[in-house]
């Protein structure tokens, strides 16, 4: 420590002490070496002695080794041979062991190849699985195993492709067989339904009692044939229960499903299958453009759809997960919307009621078939109500033609019956009761014409036709009754009413025919209650039911009668106009002929004979027709006098015209139609009578003095009318004897005429200003 102190000469003192210490150690070493030196010398001496012996020993060992090597050469050779054999034996043993490990792999691979050749793909996949999991790991170090391992995915893909190809072939096959599958399924459903219906009818005795006899016989005969066929074909029916399996091999689906499930691609397969089936569903749901033309088009369409969903239902029940109830329900809802749209469109093209009825029967069988497979079909039956309206429209069009044909063929004369047998034939067709007619002896005539029983029969046939559609709709008797009554009301209020209105307007229908039409409508109206009873008997629904609709025949036939009555009035007036048009007055004649005009006498004779035909009409109708005819005749005669093209009228023409009006008044007073009170009918000519009296008597002072008073003798003479006629007579004054006499004998009277004209003009002007 003092070396590092800052004392003077510390380093030097340290070095001196160190040298002293070294000298001490050297002396000790020297003493020790001196002590051990003799022993070292002795050891060296002994070692030199041993070297000679070592040389001898080396020579001996070398000699011994040489002799030993010479002696062991043969042993070495044999030993090497033994070693070589042992190595071969070990190698052979190893090879055998390895071969024992490889042979199962090769056998399994050979088995795999054989399974592939015979198309046992599912077994081949199982073999691959065993190879990969059990056999190949044991010998994975060998090259051929590596090749196998590399080939297995390729084989799997090959199997997937082959199975998918088989699936595609299956899908193509199922597309072709769908219509046959559906046809068979619908046939079975129809047979089962027919059989059930037959049993129900046999158990319900009262069912047939309320049906029409002819229709009942037809239905019973049909059901008997169907039931017999069902019993005869029972074995065949049993064989056809599994239609889908019988007609189609489903193994490609099962195989492909198993293969993809084993390969872990089950979801891929499910998605592919469902996608392809959806595409096929869209193809199946696409109808042909001409489908509505024949029932076979609809049948093929329905068969394909039924076949499609029967296959899906089969797949649903025999596989797990490939098709689910949710998937089928979704597919069915999509299909149902498309089916309804297609049927709604194509049914609207149908104009044949028989085709619409067959379509309805097909839809019912179609719905019942799919309902049997668990698919909801309520919307289809709702669609049938729309189609029922279309069916009724086609029926109405058909019956409109039938009604027109009946009206065209009718002779519009009462039905003659020569004996009791003919009378019963008519009564059997139409419910007619008339105690007064029953008392008459044969031959006699029924009041209605031949069209009445024919119309009645056709209305009943329409009810039958409408009932055919209402059957099998799973509706209650009350609803069916309501449907029948509504459709019958449409027939009466629209179709028959329209035919009657068109008939009445036809030009060839004369007054006699119109009278008969009125009589016919009266009897048809009375028969409506029998039609209500007829509907009630068919549906077994009492008419006292609160919700039972009534037939509107009363309003229908009442409207037709009103139209016929109006047409009678119109045709009478037209006939009167025809007679008026042939009137040929000499308006400048000096004196009258002394007798009524020929055209007017012909007109009156026509009216007399016409009103005799009206005796079968209700009293008010005949009276109204007579009054209308007289008023129209009076108006027409008045217009003839006041015609603007007629410029001059002589007093002789007035006298002749007066004779004609007198004949009209005589006709009115003769009571051509009974029921008029007093001179009611004569009042139709009062305007003409007062006007003619005014000119015949020349009573202008009275007219002008009493004008505007209720008690006036010429109350119905209008000043403008009198002025117009007076001016026509004034213009012919040169040829008129009265005016000539005025000019010669009394010019004051001439001035009076001028005064009368002025006063009449003032009255007319006063009326116009007041207006």
């Amino acid at each position: 420590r003092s070396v590092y102190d800052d004392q003077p000469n510390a380093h030097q003192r340290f070095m001196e002490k160190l040298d002293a210490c070294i000298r001490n150690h050297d002396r000790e070493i020297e003493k020790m070496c001196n002590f051990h030196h003799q022993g070292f010398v002795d050891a060296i001496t002994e070692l030199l002695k041993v070297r000679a012996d070592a040389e001898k020993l080396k020579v001996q060992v070398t000699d011994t080794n040489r002799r030993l090597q010479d002696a062991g050469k043969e042993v070495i050779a044999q030993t090497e041979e033994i070693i070589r054999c042992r190595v071969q034996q070990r190698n052979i043993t190893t090879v055998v062991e390895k071969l024992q490990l490889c042979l199962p792999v090769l056998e399994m691979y050979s088995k795999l190849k054989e399974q592939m050749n015979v198309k046992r793909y599912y077994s081949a996949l199982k073999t691959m699985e065993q190879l990969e999991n059990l056999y190949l790991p044991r010998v994975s170090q060998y090259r051929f195993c590596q090749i196998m391992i590399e080939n297995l995915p390729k084989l799997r893909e090959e199997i997937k492709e082959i199975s998918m190809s088989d699936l595609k072939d299956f899908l193509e096959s199922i597309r072709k067989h769908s219509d046959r599958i559906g046809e068979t399924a619908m046939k079975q459903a129809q047979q089962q339904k027919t059989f059930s219906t037959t049993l129900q009818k046999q158990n319900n005795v009262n069912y047939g009692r309320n049906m029409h006899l002819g229709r009942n016989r037809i239905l019973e005969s049909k059901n008997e044939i169907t039931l017999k066929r069902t019993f005869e074909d029972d074995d065949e029916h049993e064989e056809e229960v599994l239609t889908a399996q019988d007609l189609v091999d489903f193994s490609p689906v099962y195989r492909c499903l198993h293969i993809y499930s084993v390969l872990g691609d089950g979801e891929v397969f499910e998605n592919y299958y469902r996608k392809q089936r959806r595409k096929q569903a869209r193809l199946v749901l696409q109808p042909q453009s001409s489908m509505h033309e024949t029932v076979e088009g609809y049948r093929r369409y329905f068969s394909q759809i039924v076949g499609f969903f029967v296959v899906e239902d089969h797949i649903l029940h025999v596989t797990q997960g490939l098709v689910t109830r949710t998937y089928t329900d979704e597919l069915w809802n999509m299909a149902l919307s498309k089916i309804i749209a297609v049927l709604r469109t194509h049914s609207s093209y149908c104009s044949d009621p028989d085709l619409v009825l067959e379509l309805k029967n097909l839809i019912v069988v179609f719905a019942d078939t799919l309902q049997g497979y668990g698919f909801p079909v309520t919307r289809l039956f709702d669609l049938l109500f729309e189609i029922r309206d279309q069916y009724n429209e086609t029926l109405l069009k058909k019956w409109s033609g039938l009604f027109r044909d009946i009206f065209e063929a009718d002779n519009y004369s009462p039905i003659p019956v020569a004996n009791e047998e003919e009378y019963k034939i008519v009564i059997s067709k139409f419910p007619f009761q008339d105690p007064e007619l029953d008392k008459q002896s044969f031959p006699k005539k029924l009041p209605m014409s031949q069209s009445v029983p024919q119309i009645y029969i056709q209305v009943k046939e329409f009810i039958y036709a409408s009932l055919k559609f209402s059957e099998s709709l799973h509706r209650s008797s009350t609803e069916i009754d309501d449907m029948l009554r509504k459709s019958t009301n449409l027939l009466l209020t629209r179709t028959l009413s329209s035919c009657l209105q068109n008939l009445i307007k036809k030009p060839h229908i004369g007054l006699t025919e119109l009278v008969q039409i009125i009589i016919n409508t009266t009897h048809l109206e009375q028969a409506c209650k029998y039609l209500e009873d007829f509907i009630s008997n068919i549906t077994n629904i009492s008419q006292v039911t609160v919700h039972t609709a009534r037939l509107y025949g009363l309003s229908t036939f009442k409207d037709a009668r009103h139209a016929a009555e109006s047409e009678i009035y119109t045709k009478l007036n037209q006939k009167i106009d025809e007679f008026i048009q042939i009137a040929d007055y000499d308006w400048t004649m000096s004196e009258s002929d002394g007798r009524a005009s020929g055209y007017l006498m012909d007109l009156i004779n026509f009216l007399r004979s016409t009103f005799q035909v009206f005796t079968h009409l209700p009293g008010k109708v005949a009276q109204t027709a007579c009054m209308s005819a007289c008023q129209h005749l009076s108006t027409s005669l008045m217009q003839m006098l006041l015609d603007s093209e007629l410029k001059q009228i002589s007093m002789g023409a007035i006298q002749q015209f007066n004779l004609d009006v007198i004949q009209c008044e005589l006709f009115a007073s003769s009571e051509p139609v009974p029921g008029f009170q007093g001179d009611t009918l004569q009042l139709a000519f009062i305007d003409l009578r007062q006007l003619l009296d005014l000119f015949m008597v020349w009573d202008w002072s009275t007219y002008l003095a009493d004008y505007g008073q209720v008690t006036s003798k010429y109350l119905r003479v209008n000043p403008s009318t009198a002025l117009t006629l007076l001016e026509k007579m004034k213009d012919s004054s040169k040829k008129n004897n009265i005016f000539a006499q005025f000019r010669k004998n009394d010019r004051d009277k001439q001035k009076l005429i001028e005064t009368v004209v002025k006063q009449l003009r003032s009255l007319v002007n006063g009326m116009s200003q007041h207006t």
Side-chain angles (χ1 to χ4, degrees):
R1 187 181 313 115
S2 63
V3 176
Y4 296 96
D5 293 339
D6 293 333
Q7 297 179 5
N9 301 319
H11 182 269
Q12 184 178 0
R13 288 195 300 272
F14 173 76
M15 290 302 298
E16 291 176 356
K17 290 181 180 182
L18 181 62
D19 290 336
C21 186
I22 290 172
R23 286 192 297 271
N24 289 333
H25 281 292
D26 288 338
R27 284 193 296 272
E28 290 178 1
I29 292 171
E30 186 177 354
K31 289 178 182 180
M32 186 176 292
C33 288
N34 291 331
F35 179 77
H36 290 289
H37 181 262
Q38 186 60 44
F40 174 72
V41 172
D42 293 340
I44 291 298
T45 302
E46 289 180 2
L47 182 62
L48 291 173
K49 292 179 180 180
V50 172
R51 185 171 62 181
D53 294 335
E55 289 293 337
K56 289 181 182 180
L57 181 60
K58 180 180 179 182
V59 172
Q60 292 177 357
V61 169
T62 302
D63 182 60
T64 302
N65 179 54
R66 180 181 56 74
R67 285 186 283 117
L68 180 61
Q69 291 296 330
D70 293 340
K73 284 182 180 179
E74 184 177 353
V75 175
I76 290 173
Q78 292 178 357
T79 302
E80 288 177 352
E81 181 66 22
I82 291 173
I83 291 173
R84 189 178 64 79
C85 290
R86 291 287 177 84
V87 171
Q88 288 181 348
Q89 185 180 6
R90 185 172 65 249
N91 290 340
I92 291 172
T93 302
T94 302
V95 169
V96 170
E97 292 175 356
K98 298 302 181 182
L99 285 175
Q100 288 177 348
L101 290 176
C102 293
L103 281 176
V105 176
L106 295 173
E107 290 175 355
M108 291 298 289
Y109 194 79
S110 175
K111 180 181 179 182
L112 172 63
K113 286 294 186 180
E114 183 179 356
Q115 290 170 341
M116 291 287 291
N117 292 332
V118 297
K119 299 182 180 181
R120 296 173 56 192
Y121 301 115
Y122 182 70
S123 300
L125 289 175
K126 289 296 184 182
T127 304
M128 288 184 196
E129 186 177 355
Q130 290 179 354
L131 277 172
E132 287 182 329
N133 298 330
L134 185 61
Y135 293 98
L136 288 178
R138 300 174 183 175
V139 290
S140 59
Q141 68 273 22
Y142 300 110
R143 184 182 176 189
F144 76 91
C145 293
Q146 295 298 325
I147 295 174
M148 289 182 183
I149 293 173
E150 293 174 358
N151 284 337
L152 289 182
K154 297 179 181 179
L155 291 176
R156 282 196 176 90
E157 290 300 322
E158 182 181 351
I159 290 174
K160 287 176 65 175
E161 292 176 0
I162 293 173
S163 61
M164 185 58 69
S165 176
D166 291 343
L167 177 66
K168 291 178 180 178
D169 293 340
F170 164 79
L171 292 174
E172 181 66 23
S173 173
I174 203 68
R175 176 78 175 87
K176 296 178 180 178
H177 289 85
S178 289
D179 53 349
R180 187 179 174 192
I181 295 173
E183 182 182 355
T184 306
M186 291 174 67
K187 180 180 178 182
Q188 292 172 357
Q190 189 172 14
Q191 289 176 348
Q192 183 177 2
K193 181 179 178 181
T194 304
F195 180 67
S196 301
T197 304
T198 305
L199 292 181
Q200 181 181 359
K201 289 183 179 181
Q202 291 175 351
N203 294 331
N204 187 3
V205 179
N206 293 327
Y207 179 87
R209 294 180 179 176
N210 295 322
M211 300 299 290
H212 185 263
L213 184 60
R215 179 178 172 274
N216 194 24
R217 286 199 298 266
I218 294 173
L219 288 178
E220 288 179 355
S221 174
K222 179 180 178 182
N223 291 328
E224 182 181 357
I225 294 172
T226 306
L227 182 61
K228 182 177 179 181
R229 184 182 63 189
T230 302
F231 284 128
E232 288 177 351
D233 298 343
D234 186 68
D235 294 338
E236 180 182 353
H237 178 73
E238 291 296 332
E239 292 178 358
E240 293 181 350
V241 171
L242 299 176
T243 56
Q245 288 182 338
D246 291 342
L247 296 175
V248 179
D249 179 17
F250 286 90
S251 59
V253 181
Y254 309 147
R255 184 165 54 246
C256 199
L257 175 61
H258 288 312
I259 288 172
Y260 272 78
S261 299
V262 169
L263 296 177
D265 291 335
E267 185 176 354
V268 174
F269 172 73
E270 292 172 8
N271 293 334
Y272 176 81
Y273 176 83
R274 294 179 184 182
K275 181 180 179 181
Q276 294 301 317
R277 288 297 279 168
R278 281 195 183 93
K279 290 182 179 179
Q280 288 190 345
R282 293 188 182 94
L283 292 176
V284 167
L285 295 171
Q286 188 66 32
Q288 295 182 353
S289 59
S290 60
M291 185 179 72
H292 62 276
E293 296 177 356
T294 61
V295 70
E296 288 301 323
Y298 287 108
R299 182 175 285 110
R300 285 194 300 270
Y301 181 66
F302 288 138
S303 297
Q304 290 178 357
I305 296 173
V306 171
F308 178 88
F309 283 99
V310 166
V311 170
E312 290 303 289
D313 181 77
H314 179 78
I315 296 294
L316 171 67
H317 288 89
V318 299
T319 61
Q320 294 182 353
L322 177 58
V323 175
T324 63
R325 176 56 66 182
T326 303
Y327 162 78
T328 56
D329 290 344
E330 178 186 351
L331 199 60
W332 169 243
N333 289 330
M334 180 274 292
L336 190 57
S337 299
K338 178 66 174 178
I339 292 168
I340 290 174
V342 167
L343 293 179
R344 186 178 286 123
T345 301
H346 282 265
S347 63
S348 63
Y349 299 147
C350 294
S351 58
D352 183 7
D354 295 333
L355 179 58
V356 179
L357 184 61
E358 290 180 341
L359 172 59
K360 168 257 175 181
N361 293 331
L362 279 177
I363 294 176
V364 170
V365 175
F366 173 71
D368 290 342
T369 304
L370 288 174
Q371 191 174 31
Y373 285 92
F375 296 100
V377 294
T378 305
R379 291 173 61 188
L380 283 174
F381 284 102
D382 293 338
L383 173 67
L384 284 174
F385 281 91
E386 298 180 25
I387 297 180
R388 178 178 61 86
D389 296 336
Q390 174 68 20
Y391 175 70
N392 285 336
E393 289 297 325
T394 59
L395 286 182
L396 292 175
K397 290 181 181 178
K398 179 180 179 180
W399 257 257
S400 177
L402 293 175
F403 289 154
R404 286 197 301 269
D405 294 341
I406 290 173
F407 289 140
E408 288 292 333
D410 195 8
N411 56 9
Y412 297 99
S413 59
I415 301 175
V417 286
N419 49 49
E420 183 72 22
E421 183 178 355
E422 292 182 5
Y423 181 74
K424 289 182 178 179
I425 291 174
V426 177
I427 297 302
S428 65
K429 297 178 180 178
F430 182 76
F432 173 76
Q433 295 178 355
D434 188 351
E436 295 298 328
L437 186 64
D438 292 341
K439 296 177 182 178
Q440 298 179 13
S441 59
F442 291 99
K444 53 188 176 182
K445 292 184 178 180
L446 302 180
M448 79 287 291
S449 67
Q450 191 63 45
S451 63
V452 173
Q454 293 176 353
I455 292 293
Y456 183 79
I457 291 173
Q458 287 303 322
V459 173
K460 291 173 68 175
E461 291 297 327
F462 175 86
I463 295 173
Y464 280 135
S466 182
L467 177 64
K468 288 180 181 179
F469 195 95
S470 300
E471 293 175 338
S472 304
L473 294 186
H474 305 303
R475 298 290 173 175
S476 64
S477 299
T478 304
E479 291 176 303
I480 294 177
D481 181 89
D482 187 60
M483 293 178 196
L484 289 181
R485 292 178 187 274
K486 288 181 178 178
S487 59
T488 306
N489 276 331
L490 280 177
L491 178 72
L492 296 177
T493 59
R494 197 171 77 183
T495 305
L496 182 56
S497 176
S498 176
C499 290
L500 283 171
Q501 296 291 342
N502 293 333
L503 173 68
I504 291 168
K505 298 295 182 181
K506 287 185 179 296
H508 71 276
I509 298 297
L511 293 171
T512 304
E513 287 81 4
L514 289 171
V515 171
Q516 188 62 55
I517 289 173
I518 292 176
I519 297 171
N520 290 349
T521 55
T522 303
H523 289 283
L524 286 172
E525 178 184 332
Q526 295 171 355
C528 283
K529 62 180 181 179
Y530 296 101
L531 290 175
E532 290 186 346
D533 295 338
F534 175 72
I535 295 175
S536 298
N537 290 333
I538 287 180
T539 58
N540 199 22
I541 297 296
S542 174
Q543 291 190 33
V544 298
T545 304
V546 178
H547 301 291
T548 299
R550 300 298 178 185
L551 298 184
Y552 301 141
L554 181 63
S555 61
T556 298
F557 298 118
K558 185 177 294 184
D559 293 342
R561 278 199 302 276
H562 289 165
E565 293 165 7
S566 176
E567 192 67 18
I568 286 176
Y569 308 149
T570 302
K571 287 188 179 296
L572 267 177
N573 294 341
Q574 290 175 352
K575 200 67 178 178
I576 290 172
D577 292 339
E578 292 176 4
F579 280 102
I580 295 294
Q581 288 175 0
I582 63 175
D584 186 17
Y585 285 102
D586 182 6
W587 297 108
T588 60
M589 63 192 308
S590 57
E591 294 182 358
S592 66
D593 294 340
R595 62 178 182 276
S597 302
Y599 86 92
L600 188 72
M601 297 306 297
D602 293 340
L603 171 59
I604 290 175
N605 291 331
F606 164 74
L607 291 176
R608 288 186 187 279
S609 61
T610 299
F611 291 137
Q612 286 178 357
V613 177
F614 287 7
T615 55
H616 297 292
L617 288 175
K620 291 184 178 180
V621 177
Q623 293 170 14
T624 304
C626 187
M627 177 60 75
S628 174
C630 291
Q631 290 177 344
H632 184 72
L633 176 58
S634 175
T635 302
S636 299
L637 292 174
M638 181 69 76
Q639 290 175 349
M640 189 184 300
L641 282 177
L642 303 178
D643 189 1
S644 59
E645 296 182 358
L646 179 60
K647 304 299 183 181
Q648 299 176 355
I649 300 178
S650 66
M651 183 54 70
I654 293 292
Q655 293 171 351
Q656 181 65 39
F657 201 81
N658 182 60
L659 291 175
D660 293 344
V661 174
I662 290 174
Q663 289 299 322
C664 294
E665 292 172 328
L666 289 174
F667 169 74
S669 63
S670 66
E671 196 176 11
V673 172
F676 287 107
Q677 295 181 357
D679 56 353
T680 303
L681 194 57
Q682 291 175 280
L683 292 177
F685 301 97
I686 189 65
D687 292 358
L688 273 174
R689 172 48 51 209
Q690 291 185 7
L691 179 64
L692 292 174
D693 285 348
L694 176 61
F695 278 85
M696 295 289 293
V697 180
W698 208 253
D699 196 5
W700 293 106
S701 59
T702 304
Y703 175 75
L704 294 174
D706 296 342
Y707 178 76
Q709 298 180 12
V710 180
T711 58
S712 174
K713 181 180 178 181
Y714 304 102
L715 180 64
R716 305 297 293 270
V717 178
N718 190 292
S720 61
T721 303
L723 177 61
T724 301
L725 187 58
L726 187 59
E727 288 180 339
K728 292 178 184 289
M729 296 184 68
K730 179 183 175 182
D731 292 341
S732 61
S733 59
K734 294 182 180 180
K735 299 181 180 180
N736 192 294
N737 293 332
I738 294 177
F739 286 120
Q741 186 179 2
F742 287 162
R743 287 192 297 272
K744 292 178 182 179
N745 301 328
D746 195 354
R747 296 198 177 269
D748 293 336
K749 291 184 179 180
Q750 180 66 28
K751 292 180 180 180
L752 178 62
I753 296 302
E754 297 291 339
T755 303
V756 170
V757 170
K758 291 179 181 180
Q759 290 178 344
L760 288 175
R761 284 176 179 170
S762 65
L763 290 176
V764 172
N765 293 332
M767 291 176 61
S768 62
Q769 292 176 1
H770 179 70
T771 303

